């Protein structure tokens, strides 16, 4: 099934996606938690109960609600760099022998339809379409063989990157370049893992103002979903709702000649087979924060 998180008078709440709209899961079945993260933590049983509530509940029109990121409050936002063979070749980088890890933070998260804000401090903001893994059942030192049992679902994501900060600051500043506000759109929905039997065979595309800039497949992954989950769990305990951005395919703006940077007025779409299309406008930062 597909989950969205909706802004309500009671706070963020988990809704199930149906063809005629969205269903408030906790309102339909009060034994279900009110958050997507908590439902995923229940494992397959939670998903089954949520699917039943989605089928039986009263739907509200999708156009009548404000979507939030499907997981608005993850404990961790982890990212894998250089995980597509074709992107590594494009970047002139060697194929890494193990996953390249960096992080974002919850301040970067925005929903489908929200604006990516170009910071005044950067002139080279790039686009990166990504498959995002959402952890369902947490754990530490998870084996590769058991790793998929800990995946709750997947969603489209956009790893927006200030390349001048990431690449040109002293000693390079990956954390700074990746963690400006609004630099991690996700959504519109989270699709549960049972709907995606082979996450290594998904077409992934990014369109900028309708023009296809990235077009590849997760079959190009250097490290599979199972390998990534197992690797990260050897470093840290993974928690329900943790997000893992899995790398981007070729076609990023930095690699083009001349480079293509995001500008105010742009619209970016990230489309992944079976998961939907994430769309965000781009605006200038014209707000004074004091």
């Amino acid at each position: 099934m597909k989950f969205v998180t909706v802004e309500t008078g009671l706070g963020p709440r988990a809704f199930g996606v149906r063809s005629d709209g969205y269903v408030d899961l906790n309102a339909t079945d009060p034994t279900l938690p009110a958050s997507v993260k908590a439902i995923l933590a229940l494992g397959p049983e939670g998903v089954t109960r949520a699917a039943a509530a989605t089928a039986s509940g009263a739907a509200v029109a999708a156009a009548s609600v404000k979507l939030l990121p499907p997981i608005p409050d993850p404990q961790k936002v982890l990212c894998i760099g250089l995980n597509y063979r074709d992107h590594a070749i494009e970047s002139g980088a060697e194929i890494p022998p193990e996953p390249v890890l960096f992080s974002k933070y919850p301040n970067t998260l925005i929903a489908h339809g929200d604006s990516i804000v170009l910071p005044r401090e950067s002139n080279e903001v790039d686009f990166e379409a990504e498959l995002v893994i959402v952890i369902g059942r947490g754990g530490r030192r998870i084996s590769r063989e058991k790793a998929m049992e800990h995946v709750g679902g997947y969603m489209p994501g956009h790893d927006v990157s200030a390349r001048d900060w990431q690449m040109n600051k002293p000693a390079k500043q990956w954390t700074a370049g990746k963690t400006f506000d609004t630099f991690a759109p996700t959504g519109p929905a989270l699709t549960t893992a049972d709907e995606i039997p082979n996450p290594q065979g998904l077409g992934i595309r990014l369109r900028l103002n309708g023009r296809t800039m990235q077009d590849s497949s997760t079959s190009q992954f250097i490290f599979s979903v199972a390998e990534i989950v197992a690797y990260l769990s050897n470093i840290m305990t993974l928690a329900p709702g943790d997000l893992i951005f899995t790398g981007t395919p070729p076609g990023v703006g930095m690699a083009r000649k001349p480079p293509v940077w995001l500008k105010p007025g742009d619209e970016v779409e990230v489309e992944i087979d079976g998961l939907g299309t994430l769309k965000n406008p781009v605006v200038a930062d014209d707000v004074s924060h004091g």
Side-chain angles (χ1 to χ4, degrees):
M1 67 169 292
K2 291 183 184 293
F3 291 100
V4 293
T5 294
V6 171
E7 185 179 86
T8 76
L10 299 174
R13 289 177 69 86
F15 279 59
V17 178
R18 212 165 67 189
S19 60
D20 59 341
Y22 302 146
V23 176
D24 187 327
L25 298 173
N26 174 260
T28 304
D29 177 0
T31 68
L32 281 170
S35 75
V36 175
K37 181 166 67 174
I39 293 172
L40 292 178
L42 298 175
E45 177 196 354
V47 173
T48 298
R49 289 164 53 198
T54 301
S56 64
V60 298
S64 70
V65 303
K66 170 66 175 76
L67 289 181
L68 299 173
I71 305 291
D73 58 345
Q75 184 186 100
K76 295 184 283 296
V77 184
L78 305 168
C79 307
I80 305 298
L82 292 174
N83 195 36
Y84 282 74
R85 291 177 182 84
D86 43 11
H87 177 53
I89 293 168
E90 167 190 64
S91 303
E94 295 183 5
I95 302 297
E98 59 185 79
V100 176
L101 175 63
F102 61 93
S103 298
K104 288 180 177 278
Y105 299 100
N107 68 290
T108 62
L109 292 171
I110 59 172
H112 171 74
D114 288 346
S115 295
I116 298 167
V117 179
L118 300 178
R120 303 173 190 177
E121 295 79 9
S122 175
N123 296 310
E124 298 179 354
V125 178
D126 206 348
F127 47 84
E128 297 188 51
E130 307 219 2
L131 171 70
V132 178
I133 304 166
V134 183
I135 295 298
R137 183 160 60 90
R140 179 79 197 280
R141 297 194 176 96
I142 301 164
S143 71
R144 179 178 171 183
E145 292 72 26
K146 296 286 188 180
M148 300 305 289
E149 299 174 13
H150 294 259
V151 175
Y154 306 93
M155 56 188 179
H158 185 175
D159 175 19
V160 186
S161 304
R163 300 297 194 190
D164 40 4
W165 283 73
Q166 177 191 356
M167 308 303 292
N168 298 334
K169 292 290 185 179
K172 301 188 178 182
Q173 293 286 349
W174 278 62
T175 298
K178 298 287 189 172
T179 53
F180 283 94
D181 290 352
T182 76
F183 270 25
T186 59
L190 181 156
T191 302
T192 53
D194 59 298
E195 298 271 338
I196 308 295
N198 179 20
Q200 309 309 150
L202 304 177
I204 178 170
R205 293 162 291 280
L206 183 142
R207 292 183 291 273
L208 178 61
N209 303 323
R211 176 188 173 193
T212 298
M213 308 295 280
Q214 295 180 275
D215 189 354
S216 188
S217 167
T218 57
S219 63
Q220 287 287 317
F221 273 17
I222 298 167
F223 304 102
S224 69
V225 169
E227 289 172 313
I228 291 168
V229 171
Y231 181 87
L232 292 174
S233 76
N234 287 335
I235 302 168
M236 67 196 82
T237 300
L238 297 178
D242 282 351
L243 307 183
I244 305 171
F245 283 67
T246 57
T248 199
V252 297
M254 177 179 67
R256 294 175 176 270
K257 296 181 173 38
V260 174
W261 309 120
L262 295 179
K263 63 185 186 302
D266 284 345
E267 183 177 75
V268 189
E269 298 172 276
V270 176
E271 180 182 45
I272 302 179
D273 293 349
L275 303 184
T277 301
L278 169 67
K279 183 184 297 186
N280 299 92
V282 180
V283 300
D285 183 1
D286 58 1
V287 176
S288 175
H289 300 287

